[in-house]
Each structure stands twice: as C-alpha cells, then as structure tokens.
Amino acid sequence: MGFGGMFKKLTVFAVMVTIMATSVAAQPELGCQSHCGNIGIPYPFGTRNGCYISSDFFINCSTAFNPPKAFLSSGFPELEVLNISLDDGSLRIRYDRSIGYRCYNSSSTTSYWNSSIYHPKFSLSHTRNKLTAIGCDTTASIVFTGTFTGCLTYCASVNNVIYGSCSGVGCCQSAIPKGLRTFALYIDSILDHSAVWMFNPCSYGFLVENGAYNFSPSDLSNTNFRKRKYPFILDWTIGNQTCKQAKKDPNDYACKQNSTCIDREIGPGYLCKCNDGFQGNPYLFNGCQGKDFKFFS
C-alpha cells in the first residue's frame, strides 16, 4: 500500500474517532440490557445507571415475574411497559387499579376509587387515548389546570344499550387535552344510581388506548370489571428544547448520524428519526444503517 493510500485511511480513521468522541456523552455503556422478558428496551431507555439518557427513561426490570416484567418507575404509580416505540415516541402501558369506580346500593355509595396517574416528563397521548365511562347514571371527568373535561352516560334499562356503542347510552368516550401529564379521574352519579342500581350497581371510568375496549351490556352488571387492565399510551420526548436549540450543543444533542431531528407538537422536546433509506436506532452512534451504509467495510 502506498503512502497516499495509507494517509487516506488514517485520515478517515481520525475523523471517525473524532465523531465517536463527540458522541460519547449521550451514549449507553457496553453490556446494557436490551430486553426485559418479552419487551425490547432500546436506548434512550435502559434498566440501570449508564444505560439510559436520563432518569426519566429508567426501566425497572422486575424478576419477581416469570418472564420478567418492565416497569416505568419515574412517575406515579409504577406503570407496566408493554411496548416502547422509537418510531413515534410512545410507550404502551397499563397498571393495576387503573379503572376508577363508584358502587351503590339502594340508598348510598358503598365503595369508590378515583384513579390517578402522574409523570414528570411524559404526557398522555391526546390522539391515541380516550376517556371512557360505563354506567346508566354516570359522569366521568378529569381535572386539569383549574378546568375539567369528561362525559356523561345514561340509560333507563339494559335493553336500551347497544353492543359496541359508546355514544352516551350506557357508555361514553371523550378526548383528553394535549400535553396532559397528570390524570386525576372522578366518577359521580346525578341520581346516585337510585333508579338503576339493581342492574347497574357500579359506575366505571378509565383511560384506554383507542380501539382497545369494546363495550358490552354485560359490563353494566359486572362488579369485577374494576379488576380489568386496559392499555393506554404515553408520549415521550428528548430534553426540553426544540431541534434548533438542541443542535447548538453537539455534546448533548441526541440525534446521531444518518438521522433527523423532529419537533413534537406536544412539546417541549424532540424526537430523532433515521433518514429515508436507513433504519435502526437514531439515538445510537452508528444506529441508523441502510443498504448503502458500509462503515465497517
């Protein structure tokens, strides 16, 4: 090999070393756990210190289950992770006691539970979740920044309701606000179920991923409905800056080569996406690869 060829190779090597050096600050350590049971754990998430981009992305992989289960522990309550998506910046999750309820007898409330969720960084998806209420004399509402949203459902008889319909007769659904990080659900009744408690002893309310719940008239009389767990979606972002702001600090900028920064409408923060023709993890050095990408060759 001539001197010129060797010089070119050394130059390329030096450039790549420089790129790697400037990328170390936002990269996971070697040997990080890539799965927890059946759930993939891609960076920027991780199961131990040194494997996630910030503490908000810590995943507790609990071996108390077989197979192990993944939990998002940085909010309240601890949320079971069903899927982590890098493509759209979402988490599919669920948790015990996610269904709020209020049960009645002929004269008063007998038991109730107001479900709540809080995460300091991630927000509840306003496009992929619905607030859902079940009952024949039921209001379900969530309170946020001094205001509230919710829905009302009513029916005089179980014969009035329609299987699969959540249009306000036995079941209702409504959208939630954009960027909501705190979800406090309140269940109530206009007439304390006094006319319907015989066939509908409890009112229920819960947040659910679009299409994950299908209303059945039998749910009105099912006092064990409160024990069910339905999935819902959290949206996540990197940092608290726009793409333009984040690019000014290369050491903290999360998008690696062959990737594009995308501002999220839910804000603040951004996502990274592999460029067209590439696929993989845009948050990892050399993470976005395509058929024409020949770094190691």
Side-chain angles (χ1 to χ4, degrees):
M1 178 185 296
F3 176 78
M6 181 178 294
F7 179 78
K8 288 181 179 180
K9 287 184 176 292
L10 289 172
T11 300
V12 171
F13 177 75
V15 170
M16 297 312 299
V17 168
T18 300
I19 293 174
M20 291 175 68
T22 59
S23 303
V24 166
Q27 291 293 278
E29 298 175 353
L30 294 176
C32 290
Q33 188 173 348
S34 62
H35 283 78
C36 177
N38 301 320
I39 308 299
I41 311 296
Y43 186 79
F45 293 86
T47 59
R48 62 176 175 84
N49 190 29
C51 292
Y52 45 76
I53 198 168
S54 75
S55 59
D56 291 322
F57 292 78
F58 168 62
I59 298 294
N60 174 26
C61 185
S62 175
T63 56
F65 303 89
N66 186 22
K69 289 185 177 182
F71 293 91
L72 185 67
S73 300
S74 49
F76 175 84
E78 192 173 59
L79 304 170
E80 182 183 356
V81 178
L82 305 177
N83 183 65
I84 300 173
S85 173
L86 298 182
D87 293 335
D88 60 10
S90 69
L91 286 167
R92 193 168 188 253
I93 59 176
R94 67 184 177 193
Y95 77 103
D96 294 337
R97 306 194 74 185
S98 61
I99 295 179
Y101 62 87
R102 186 173 289 269
C103 296
Y104 306 83
N105 59 21
S106 59
S107 59
S108 64
T109 298
T110 59
S111 62
Y112 69 94
W113 169 256
N114 294 322
S115 178
S116 62
I117 305 165
Y118 167 73
H119 196 280
K121 171 63 178 174
F122 305 153
S123 60
L124 297 157
S125 175
H126 68 288
T127 60
R128 298 179 61 186
N129 296 314
K130 284 287 189 295
L131 172 63
T132 302
I134 301 170
C136 283
D137 178 14
T138 300
T139 61
S141 59
I142 52 176
V143 179
F144 58 99
T145 60
T147 59
F148 70 94
T149 186
C151 65
L152 166 68
T153 175
Y154 179 80
C155 44
S157 166
V158 70
N159 296 323
N160 299 141
V161 303
I162 301 173
Y163 185 91
S165 174
C166 272
S167 58
V169 182
C171 177
C172 66
Q173 289 187 320
S174 66
I176 65 171
K178 180 172 68 175
L180 197 66
R181 297 181 185 178
T182 300
F183 178 89
L185 176 63
Y186 298 92
I187 309 297
D188 210 340
S189 171
I190 296 175
L191 300 174
D192 285 338
H193 272 226
S194 58
V196 299
W197 70 272
M198 296 80 70
F199 65 90
N200 177 215
C202 300
S203 293
Y204 300 106
F206 52 100
L207 190 69
V208 62
E209 178 186 9
N210 293 345
Y213 170 70
N214 193 34
F215 172 65
S216 171
S218 63
D219 294 339
L220 295 172
S221 59
N222 183 3
T223 55
N224 287 320
F225 187 87
R226 71 186 74 174
K227 298 179 181 179
R228 295 186 186 180
K229 294 188 291 184
Y230 289 103
F232 55 99
I233 305 297
L234 288 181
D235 290 326
W236 54 269
T237 60
I238 301 295
N240 295 308
Q241 299 175 307
T242 64
C243 290
K244 184 177 180 180
Q245 293 167 337
K247 290 176 181 178
K248 294 179 181 179
D249 187 356
N251 289 329
D252 288 332
Y253 182 51
C255 302
K256 302 311 174 189
Q257 71 273 33
N258 301 318
S259 71
T260 301
C261 184
I262 300 173
D263 287 313
R264 299 214 67 177
E265 64 166 333
I266 58 172
Y270 62 92
L271 292 179
C272 304
K273 183 179 180 180
C274 290
N275 294 336
D276 292 342
F278 294 84
Q279 60 184 2
N281 189 331
Y283 303 97
L284 292 176
F285 176 76
N286 196 31
C288 291
Q289 298 191 29
K291 60 182 179 181
D292 297 323
F293 188 64
K294 301 177 180 178
F295 172 74
F296 287 109
S297 62

